Amino acid sequence: MATLQTSKRALRKSLSAALRTLAPADVQRQSELVIKRLVNSPFFQQSKCVSCYLSMPSGELDTSSLVAEIIRSGKTLFVPKIKSTSEGQMDFLRVHGEQDLSTFPAGPWGIKEPDYEWQGARRQSVLDSPGESLDLILLPAVAFDRSLSRLGHGKGYYDRFISAYAAAHDGRRPLLVGLALREQVLAPGEVPMGEWDWKVDGIVSPDAIYGIRGDPLHTVNEEGGLRRMAS
Ligand SMILES: Nc1nc2c(c(=O)[nH]1)N(C=O)[C@@H](CNc1ccc(C(=O)N[C@@H](CCC(=O)O)C(=O)O)cc1)CN2
Ligand SMILES: Nc1ncnc2c1ncn2[C@@H]1O[C@H](COP(=O)(O)OP(=O)(O)OP(=O)(O)O)[C@@H](O)[C@H]1O
């Protein structure tokens, strides 16, 4: 019988191979559609403090124009920072505008990361600021399925972060929304889940928004578009 770990590994491998075949222009086109859908959504528009990842060089939706839009719209932006001191741990650090962002060096896997310092002082982190609450986390993945399960790269960074965040905030956590290329949205139940794995509240793909039950004002219609619930 396949273990959870081996079935996750097999799925990662087949998805990574499929993503490698996508033309860069296709990834760009899909990224634009996802970002358009996201920025028009009420849960995004209502958010004030947002975590968004900075894309890897390939095999992932390109978030660069989204990050610029978050900054331009005056929302507070946090981005992932891998903790080198403790295995599997990640924090989110504050980004202070476009100019600040443009100075980030590329860290592991070619992902840009801020330094711990900004203008000679310690940069604000989400986990060190219990008073700071995130409204929304935009998550990357290797794949999602339409029952809102998520498969990452196998290090458990997001799962650990969300558990740590909830523990520090009386069990409350931000809305979790995955961003996906079409090829990364699988049929319900296709992503195997373990006891540590958090489901997302919603997934935005180029074609639809799935889920979003964390927002009581909105539900998802058959095409996956958001509509306002009758009050
Ligand atoms: N853009 C982006 N930023 C992110 C993530 C992400 O998935 N995407 N992360 C999400 O957690 C964290 C970084 N985690 C990562 C962990 C492993 C690999 C990676 O490529 N690892 C393997 C290949 C594994 C595989 O996918 O088969 C390697 O080491 O070669 C990439 C990112 C935080 N920042
Ligand atoms: N909250 C947690 N506490 C302790 N260990 C955890 C936690 N979450 C995940 N892990 C461990 O991290 C490892 C990787 O988990 P998993 O394979 O689910 O990663 P993933 O969700 O695919 O990746 P990622 O979250 O980095 O994108 C597993 O060994 C898992 O047991």
Side-chain angles (χ1 to χ4, degrees):
M1 197 186 82
T3 64
L4 178 66
Q5 228 180 347
T6 55
S7 53
K8 280 191 175 189
R9 204 175 299 145
L11 195 56
R12 265 184 214 112
K13 212 170 154 187
S14 72
L15 256 295
S16 303
L19 294 173
R20 269 197 300 274
T21 68
L22 297 181
D26 184 13
V27 173
Q28 282 312 310
R29 175 80 191 123
Q30 293 202 45
S31 301
E32 281 166 28
L33 291 170
V34 168
I35 292 167
K36 204 164 153 193
R37 213 176 263 287
L38 174 71
V39 300
N40 285 324
S41 68
F43 64 85
F44 178 81
Q45 291 178 357
Q46 287 159 16
S47 68
K48 294 191 170 62
C49 189
V50 180
S51 154
C52 183
Y53 62 97
L54 303 176
S55 305
M56 291 198 270
S58 64
E60 221 176 42
L61 185 138
D62 182 354
T63 59
S64 43
S65 69
L66 172 59
V67 166
E69 172 60 24
I70 293 171
I71 292 171
R72 212 175 313 127
S73 62
K75 297 182 195 297
T76 303
L77 171 66
F78 285 88
V79 297
K81 173 82 173 176
I82 301 304
K83 288 191 181 180
S84 49
T85 48
S86 36
E87 179 64 22
Q89 294 208 29
M90 171 177 75
D91 199 349
F92 287 104
L93 299 182
R94 175 105 183 241
V95 179
H96 297 272
E98 288 272 19
Q99 155 62 23
D100 180 28
L101 180 68
S102 71
T103 66
F104 296 175
W109 307 293
I111 301 167
K112 290 187 173 179
E113 286 196 339
D115 291 328
Y116 282 109
E117 301 236 311
W118 179 67
Q119 295 189 342
R122 199 168 169 78
R123 193 185 283 271
Q124 188 185 359
S125 99
V126 168
L127 288 179
D128 294 344
S129 340
E132 187 75 53
S133 59
L134 278 176
D135 303 316
L136 173 64
I137 301 184
L138 299 169
L139 294 91
V142 175
F144 296 97
D145 73 23
R146 288 194 300 279
S147 60
L148 305 176
S149 298
R150 169 180 178 271
L151 176 74
H153 287 282
K155 305 265 196 240
Y157 287 120
Y158 275 88
D159 296 314
R160 277 197 199 79
F161 174 84
I162 297 158
S163 301
Y165 181 98
H169 291 82
D170 297 330
R172 284 191 304 273
R173 56 156 183 86
L175 195 68
L176 308 176
V177 176
L179 304 182
L181 302 169
R182 210 167 268 137
E183 291 74 11
Q184 292 176 302
V185 184
L186 307 180
E190 277 202 68
V191 169
M193 292 288 272
E195 58 173 325
W196 295 114
D197 295 323
W198 285 84
K199 284 203 174 198
V200 292
D201 298 298
I203 302 165
V204 186
S205 86
D207 313 307
I209 295 183
Y210 304 97
I212 309 295
R213 39 168 213 275
D215 180 350
L217 279 180
H218 299 90
T219 184
V220 175
N221 63 25
E222 269 152 28
E223 293 80 49
L226 284 172
R227 72 180 151 79
R228 229 177 159 82
M229 268 166 50
S231 49

